[in-house]
Amino acid sequence: MEVKEYLDNAKDNMDLAVEYLDDTLSHIRAGKASARLLDGIRVDYYGSQAPISNVANVSVPDARTIAITPWEKSMFKEIEKAIINSELGITPENNGEVIRLSIPPLTEDRRKQLVKQSKAEAENAKVSIRNARREAIEGLKKEIKKGLSEDTEKDAENEVQKLHDKYMKKIDELFAAKEKEILTV
């Protein structure tokens, strides 16, 4: 394998870790309504499990409300049941035309809990990035035995370290932004 391939693999793995963290953090409720809060909830739709967004129109009319308008009347009960059984912790209100989810303000304890959860997710992403760095460096060291010069290997190792530092900074920025969002009352 060429040095460039090791660097590209490390970069790809680090990109995936950051993308995964970004997606995971977007599902953590921060007291504001967001359609993405419903992304993980599936409903029974003619025998198969489908995301709510595939069976209804999901909108956010204001900062504290999510409105769900099912395309079929038969889906009201299924959507309500899925929301109640989810880990969202919000009881839906149904007026026969629209299902409304009122996002309650978070308590101080709940905010601290969510920050802890976000921090744990950020740590998992950092571990993934460290693993990508380690794999790249181990691969480069094996290439020395196959004839790669030590200078080239050291330069490549420095590149991997620069990538590592760049992605660690991205993770810290994502976490800081989420922490601020959660703690903002």
Side-chain angles (χ1 to χ4, degrees):
M1 249 167 82
E2 290 294 314
V3 170
K4 183 166 175 21
E5 285 182 51
Y6 284 108
L7 291 172
D8 288 345
N9 281 348
K11 185 178 184 320
D12 290 345
N13 289 340
M14 291 177 187
D15 273 336
L16 286 172
V18 170
E19 283 173 31
Y20 180 79
L21 176 66
D22 189 33
D23 184 54
T24 305
L25 290 180
S26 73
H27 291 95
I28 295 176
R29 184 163 66 100
K32 287 192 195 103
S34 165
R36 290 187 79 180
L37 289 174
L38 303 176
D39 283 356
I41 302 174
R42 303 269 184 250
V43 293
D44 185 40
Y45 185 64
Y46 296 110
S48 66
Q49 295 295 309
I52 290 178
S53 59
N54 286 10
V55 298
N57 185 28
V58 179
S59 61
V60 183
D62 60 60
R64 294 249 178 250
T65 311
I66 299 174
I68 305 165
T69 313
W71 295 322
E72 298 173 27
K73 293 279 186 206
S74 63
M75 290 309 296
F76 273 97
K77 290 238 182 298
E78 291 293 332
I79 292 172
E80 281 187 321
K81 192 167 76 175
I83 292 170
I84 289 168
N85 293 337
S86 74
E87 295 177 5
L88 202 55
I90 298 172
T91 306
E93 301 163 16
N94 174 357
N95 68 3
E97 294 193 14
V98 178
I99 298 171
R100 291 190 192 289
L101 300 178
S102 297
I103 310 294
L106 297 171
T107 63
E108 188 66 29
D109 287 346
R110 183 70 178 134
R111 287 178 194 281
K112 287 177 182 170
Q113 219 176 5
L114 291 173
V115 168
K116 255 188 211 169
Q117 183 183 349
S118 299
K119 188 166 185 64
E121 293 295 346
E123 282 305 316
N124 287 343
K126 285 182 175 184
V127 167
S128 297
I129 287 175
R130 287 186 199 111
N131 287 342
R133 176 187 60 181
R134 181 179 39 79
E135 286 169 15
I137 289 174
E138 284 173 1
L140 289 167
K141 288 194 186 304
K142 286 179 186 166
E143 289 297 314
I144 290 178
K145 293 175 184 148
K146 295 179 186 172
L148 182 71
S149 75
E150 285 189 22
D151 288 346
T152 307
E153 188 271 340
K154 281 292 175 205
D155 291 344
E157 234 180 84
N158 289 336
E159 283 299 309
V160 171
Q161 185 61 43
K162 284 179 191 168
L163 272 177
H164 168 271
D165 296 344
K166 178 179 137 190
Y167 281 96
M168 288 301 218
K169 188 173 182 233
K170 271 187 187 176
I171 286 176
D172 288 337
E173 288 167 0
L174 279 172
F175 171 68
K178 187 64 179 184
E179 183 179 36
K180 184 178 179 216
E181 181 186 342
I182 291 170
L183 295 177
T184 301
V185 180

